[in-house]
Every structure is written in C-alpha cells, then in structure tokens.
Amino acid sequence: MNKAFSYIRFSSPEQARGDSFERQSEKAQKWAKKEGYEIAKTWKDLGVSSYRGANVKRGQFAEFLRDVAADELPKGSVLILENLDRMSRQEPEDALMVFLAIIKKGIGILTLSDQKLYTKATMKQDRSMLLMTLMVMTRANEESALKGERVAAAWVRKRLAAREKALPLTDRIPGWLKCTRDATGLRTFSVDDKKATVVRRIFEQTEQGLGRRAIVKNLNRGDVPSFLSKTGWQPSSVIKIIRSRTTIGEYQPHRRDEDGERIPDGEPIKGYYPAVIDEALWDRANAAVAVRRKNAGGRPSTEAANLLRGLAHCGCGKRMLFLNKGAPPKGGRYYVCSAAVREDKCDNKRLWNAKEVERHLLHQIDPKRVAEAFEPSEKRTGPSPLERCDMQIAELTARKQRELDRFVENQDSIIGPELKRRAESLIEQIEEKKRTREIIAKAERDRPRLSTAEASVNSIRALTAKLDGATDKERVALRVAFIQQMRAAYFEVVFRPHAIVGLIELPGKPRSRKGLLPSRFVEVRVIDNVERFFLYHRFFGDDPEELADLGGGKGIVSPRFA
C-alpha cells in the first residue's frame, strides 16, 4: 500500500478548543482510504503560526523537512494538507522554496480543499499549476500580513494612548498589583500592600548582599506565600522581581520584529504602574546582583580576602593571580600577572602588595568623575551599526528575490541549479546577518546605566566608611558587599607596570569636551562586532617621568584626588 503523511497545523490556541484538529485529521483519513494510501505518520504544529516560518524553522514540520532532505521518506509518497497555507504563509518566494524542496525529492503534495495532487509529473504536464501555486501562496501571505497589520495597528493605538493619556493597555499586571475597572470599563491599578511588602523585603535583602537562594530560603522558612509560583518561592522568581523595572512603575512596550521575536518598542513608560520601591533602591539592589555575572563563587570568608576576584587583569590581557605567601613579616598577599609568572610573553613581573592595592581602591573612588563620563554621545553623522545591518539585510533580501524570480522562470533549464545555489547562498547570508543583528541589538539593549554605576560607586564610598569601625565579623560581610559593588561598577581593573586603572563601561561614545575626557582616559574595544567605550578610572600611578614632573615622591594618585 502506498505511503502517505499528513500535516495538521493551526495558528491560534483558541482553535485547539474548536474542531480544527478533528476536521483536518478526518479529511486526511477519508482521502487516504478512498485513494488506497496508508497514513504512516502525522506531523502536528498546534497553535504554531506559519506566517514568519516558525513551523519551518523549529516546528514538527521542520522535522518532516529534515526527513525529506535526508531521503528518509519513500519516493512516491504523498504529504496531505488541508490547504497550501497550512504548510506556509511566508513570503511567496520562501514558501515556494519549501514547496519545491518537497516535490523535487519525489514526494507529492495533496491539498484536500481542492483535491489537487502536486507532483513532478503533474506539474510538468500542466505548467499552470506552478502559477496557481504562487497565487495561492501570495494570497495566504497577504491575508496574514493584513491581519498582522490590523492587530499591530490596534496595539500601536493602545501604546500611544498609554504614553499620551496614561491609559492601561491590558489586565496583565505584576503580581503585587491589582487591576479593577470602573463603570465605564476604564482600568485602574492599585498596590496589594501585603505583596508589595514582600517585594521591598527582597530588594532590601539583595542590597544587603544576600543571594537569591538565601532570600528564597528566608521566604519559604517564614511561610511567605509566593505570588509568582504555585510551588513556593524559587530563585528565578526572586531574580525576576529584582530585574523588573515595573517595581518602580515603568512599563516597557514591545512589538514583534520581522522574525516574530518580541523587541522593545520605544522608551519605557514611566509612571504606568504604581511604584512599590524607589529607583535608588532598585539601582542599589541591581548593582549588588550584577556581581553574579562575574563568577562570584567561593566561601565569603575566602573570597573577602581578594577584593578584585574576577576583575583583576594585567595590561597584557591575562588574569592577575592573587598570591597568599603567609603571614607577615616574611609573607603577605600579592597580585601578579599569571602570564609573567609563566614567562609567557609578558614582562610585567611586578608584585603588587594587596594591602596597598586595597588602600587605593578604598580611598581613591571619585563619584564625580564617573558621573561626568556619562555625557550624551556626539551626534552621529552616519548610520548606527544596527541601521547598517538592516540596510545590508534589505539589500541581500532584494538580491535573493531577483535570484528566486529567475529560478522560477528557468528551473528546468541548464542554469536552474546555479540559480538555486545562488538563492540558497543569499538565504544563508541573510540568516548570518540576522544573527549579527541580534548580537548588536542585544548590546544596544544591555547598555550600562548611569544610575547603576553611580549607585555602585557611592555604595563603595559608604562601605569604606563603615569598614573603619567594623568588628572582625562585620568586616567579612562588608568586604563581600564591597566586592559586589566593585564588580557592578567596573568592567575590569587593569594592572600596568606603573599604574592601577579601573575600566567603567560607558553607555555610548562619550562627548568630546575640553577638560572632560581626554583620549588617554577612554579606551575603545570591539566585542562581538560592537564598539564599546570604557572610562579609565585611575586608582594609582608611580611612573618615574610623571613623578619627576610633579616634583618627586614614592607613589602618587591622580592630582584630582588630592
């Protein structure tokens, strides 16, 4: 008996509650029985849209296509669809590529709505079938595009009303708020005081240096009910609250990009929700939690000995070792370049006394200097990296369209395979450029915030003041908190032969202004194809030439700290 395969898809979850699945399944079984086919397997993408190719990229239909490409399905078998739009509602050229990839492997496509069977043979006999296929695919894409435009336009109007008139968009709100409607149906948000108290507790304990797991244990031990999980408090719930700026009343609208991914749409709307904490507390807590991105493992008493754990690097780029040579006077703790110790292409063999390094770290922080660095960027004269990437994608897409048009016209000619190869090559280039765009877009979204850096630097100053009169037990906790704030404020601390410099990442290219940021105080690095700018925050320097210019001395800090 001939083999057949059915594919069932619908895009919205609501259709699962209707008869869409049963209807498509019953039609496929009825046709197979009538025509003498056995349905060997059914692929299902329930609640998956095909407008942007989600089913082709990662749905069960993608598995079917992989089996087709690997010649794992018998030639002469048939794929049963209700309509061609069940397979794809993508741009016609993209949908056609999927369609032809199946046909060219010797597998037919049967559409139940019109009882048409598409195979190499039938399409060769009737060339108009290819034209009809394109028309069906074009109509399906246009229908989805029109629907998407209507939905998008409705949300644009809602987002505009939210920005201009402070009108809430939906009933979906954070767990510590309540939503009610008045007689006219207008939404109103209010604070659930009991839950808001838990949110404040989480932020305050985070600021004090507790990790999310310790906070979770405290909440669960105290039988504090979770409003984000049915199984008690989880670390993921705590970090979600700490990261969320809805706690300070902000709402970030989103939209779908061309690949269906959610991306931020404009600036956050301030005052959209009632705030349950102030922004200063949000900044301090997030400055503390930022340390976890810099590998903050280890026991507190051990880690507290090294204030630069995970931050210290030599000017050569290698990590600085933290050496413990025992108790003074013969011993001591030192920083030294790991490459220089191995004699691996670094001559910076200087041993930096950890006690002296700490003195500079604790007393040479300059919050004013940090704040000045976060000036607006200079006016850009050309396209941004993201705009350049979009322009390149648009150009490649236009070229791909031209090659596909030529392929459709000449697929059976001698140049058909070459045209197909060119189109596939352009598709690969577009996908690669889209991956690059995502990296750039992520870097844009993750730009450092002035408030976080300033809060961390100010916290370091406050912790330094507390250290002077602290007990031994208090000192360990304060030093751990100091380490957290250092990691939140500084991207790296660089040890050069005659200087110690902290690198603070800037949110963009700093403005050139007389007396503000000489070029020697700014470093530019290219990370993941994105330019990133760093301020040199100098802690210490003892360059002989500089000392001579200043009248001598054993070691200095920058004159601005005097």
Side-chain angles (χ1 to χ4, degrees):
M1 183 176 286
N2 296 325
K3 298 289 183 182
F5 306 95
S6 73
Y7 175 60
I8 298 173
R9 185 198 65 78
F10 47 79
S11 57
S12 67
E14 289 75 13
Q15 290 174 286
R17 295 191 287 270
D19 66 347
S20 184
F21 178 83
E22 288 77 10
R23 184 187 69 250
Q24 294 182 55
S25 181
E26 288 174 5
K27 283 185 176 180
Q29 292 287 352
K30 185 176 180 181
W31 181 88
K33 184 177 181 180
K34 178 183 176 183
E35 300 296 331
Y37 281 83
E38 175 192 0
I39 296 182
K41 185 175 181 178
T42 297
W43 280 271
K44 302 183 288 288
D45 281 321
L46 312 184
V48 178
S49 172
S50 65
Y51 177 46
R52 293 185 174 89
N55 63 327
V56 173
K57 297 173 184 175
R58 51 187 175 270
Q60 285 199 13
F61 192 60
E63 297 179 12
F64 166 78
L65 292 176
R66 284 194 291 271
D67 288 349
V68 170
D71 293 320
E72 294 183 5
L73 303 181
K75 296 186 184 302
S77 56
V78 173
L79 174 67
I80 305 174
L81 306 169
E82 185 178 44
N83 297 293
L84 283 176
D85 61 10
R86 297 295 174 187
M87 179 183 70
S88 178
R89 282 179 174 265
Q90 293 175 275
E91 293 287 341
E93 63 270 21
D94 295 323
L96 183 63
M97 291 290 283
V98 175
F99 176 87
L100 293 176
I102 298 170
I103 297 295
K104 285 181 173 293
K105 286 292 186 176
I107 297 173
I109 297 177
L110 183 282
T111 51
L112 295 166
S113 59
D114 55 10
Q115 298 291 304
K116 281 191 176 180
L117 179 62
Y118 299 85
T119 65
K120 279 185 177 181
T122 59
M123 293 183 70
K124 192 170 184 179
Q125 292 169 4
D126 185 359
R127 292 297 187 185
S128 67
M129 290 184 74
L130 181 61
L131 179 61
M132 293 301 296
T133 300
L134 271 173
M135 291 176 63
V136 170
M137 291 174 174
T138 301
R139 185 179 68 249
N141 176 258
E142 289 174 348
E143 287 174 353
S144 291
L146 181 60
K147 181 179 178 182
E149 287 171 3
R150 288 172 178 168
V151 173
W155 276 102
V156 167
R157 289 193 295 272
K158 287 184 178 182
R159 289 193 290 269
L160 188 62
R163 290 187 185 280
E164 296 182 351
K165 303 177 182 178
L167 294 179
L169 287 105
T170 72
D171 292 332
R172 295 184 64 182
I173 54 174
W176 52 88
L177 299 180
K178 295 181 287 189
C179 180
T180 56
R181 290 177 181 257
D182 61 19
T184 65
L186 185 66
R187 299 181 182 89
T188 303
F189 299 147
S190 59
V191 176
D192 185 318
D193 292 331
K194 190 174 181 180
K195 294 177 180 177
T197 300
V198 178
V199 173
R200 295 187 194 101
R201 175 179 171 181
I202 289 172
F203 272 89
E204 289 166 358
Q205 291 186 348
T206 300
E207 180 193 7
Q208 293 163 10
L210 270 68
R212 53 186 170 179
R213 289 179 177 80
I215 294 173
V216 163
K217 288 180 181 178
N218 290 341
L219 293 172
N220 288 332
R221 284 171 184 165
D223 292 326
V224 178
S226 171
F227 44 83
L228 295 180
S229 171
K230 295 180 180 179
T231 57
W233 285 97
Q234 305 287 339
S236 57
S237 302
V238 169
I239 199 65
K240 183 177 180 180
I241 289 174
I242 294 168
R243 292 294 191 198
S244 176
R245 292 184 66 83
T246 58
T247 54
I248 60 173
E250 285 188 9
Y251 169 69
Q252 174 62 69
H254 286 77
R255 62 181 175 82
R256 300 280 180 181
D257 65 9
E258 61 180 11
D259 293 322
E261 301 294 332
R262 291 180 78 246
I263 59 173
D265 182 27
E267 294 297 316
I269 303 174
K270 296 182 181 293
Y272 179 86
Y273 297 117
V276 294
I277 63 166
D278 59 47
E279 188 165 1
L281 177 57
W282 191 95
D283 287 331
R284 293 194 301 272
N286 276 272
V289 83
V291 65
R292 284 142 182 88
R293 294 176 306 181
K294 296 182 181 288
N295 189 21
R299 293 183 302 174
S301 58
T302 302
E303 182 185 274
N306 178 7
L307 292 186
L308 296 178
R309 185 184 178 97
L311 279 179
H313 289 80
C314 176
C316 72
K318 300 297 183 180
R319 150 179 97 82
M320 294 292 286
L321 293 177
F322 183 71
L323 302 179
N324 188 343
K325 293 181 173 288
K330 293 185 178 181
R333 292 170 173 167
Y334 300 91
Y335 292 95
V336 63
C337 174
S338 59
V341 168
R342 303 191 307 271
E343 297 189 359
D344 183 16
K345 300 177 183 178
C346 182
D347 297 326
N348 183 13
K349 297 183 179 181
R350 179 169 180 172
L351 282 175
W352 290 87
N353 186 289
K355 189 174 181 179
E356 292 298 310
V357 171
E358 285 184 16
R359 182 169 64 85
H360 300 311
L361 293 179
L362 293 171
H363 298 290
Q364 303 304 324
I365 297 290
D366 183 5
K368 185 177 179 217
R369 181 72 174 175
V370 175
E372 287 177 345
F374 285 80
E375 288 290 323
S377 299
E378 293 180 322
K379 186 175 181 181
R380 192 170 59 240
T381 57
S384 68
L386 200 59
E387 290 168 341
R388 280 197 298 270
C389 211
D390 285 336
M391 291 165 60
Q392 291 166 349
I393 290 173
E395 181 183 351
L396 288 170
T397 301
R399 288 173 56 193
K400 178 196 73 172
Q401 178 65 56
R402 291 194 295 270
E403 293 298 337
L404 284 171
D405 290 343
R406 293 181 64 196
F407 171 67
V408 171
E409 294 173 1
N410 301 279
Q411 60 177 311
D412 292 327
S413 70
I414 192 171
I415 64 172
E418 174 60 19
L419 294 173
K420 179 183 178 183
R421 186 197 64 76
R422 290 183 187 178
E424 290 174 342
S425 175
L426 287 167
I427 291 171
E428 290 175 0
Q429 292 178 51
I430 291 170
E431 290 303 313
E432 179 61 32
K433 191 60 67 176
K434 285 181 177 178
R435 287 191 286 270
T436 301
R437 186 192 188 282
E438 180 55 32
I439 291 171
I440 296 173
K442 184 179 185 303
E444 292 284 341
R445 294 193 295 269
D446 294 343
R447 283 187 182 278
R449 296 177 56 87
L450 164 62
S451 54
T452 300
E454 283 187 305
S456 299
V457 171
N458 285 321
S459 293
I460 291 170
R461 293 286 292 267
L463 290 167
T464 299
K466 291 180 181 179
L467 274 169
D468 293 336
T471 64
D472 289 343
K473 185 176 181 180
E474 292 171 338
R475 191 175 293 274
V476 171
L478 288 171
R479 287 172 67 87
V480 171
F482 183 93
I483 294 166
Q484 292 176 333
Q485 299 301 338
M486 282 292 295
R487 291 178 182 164
Y490 292 91
F491 178 81
E492 193 173 276
V493 175
V494 182
F495 287 73
R496 305 193 186 283
H498 294 288
I500 304 174
V501 176
L503 296 184
I504 297 177
E505 185 169 5
L506 304 178
K509 184 178 181 180
R511 175 182 294 176
S512 296
R513 201 169 74 189
K514 187 175 180 181
L516 175 61
L517 280 176
S519 59
R520 63 194 178 98
F521 286 136
V522 176
E523 178 173 317
V524 182
R525 296 187 183 182
V526 178
I527 302 174
D528 290 331
N529 297 320
V530 178
E531 274 193 343
R532 292 163 68 174
F533 300 86
F534 299 89
L535 167 72
Y536 272 49
H537 189 155
R538 192 174 181 208
F539 296 113
F540 175 80
D542 63 357
D543 183 86
E545 294 183 5
E546 188 174 12
L547 289 172
D549 290 341
L550 294 172
K554 294 182 179 179
I556 61 166
V557 294
S558 182
R560 66 173 181 272
F561 295 125

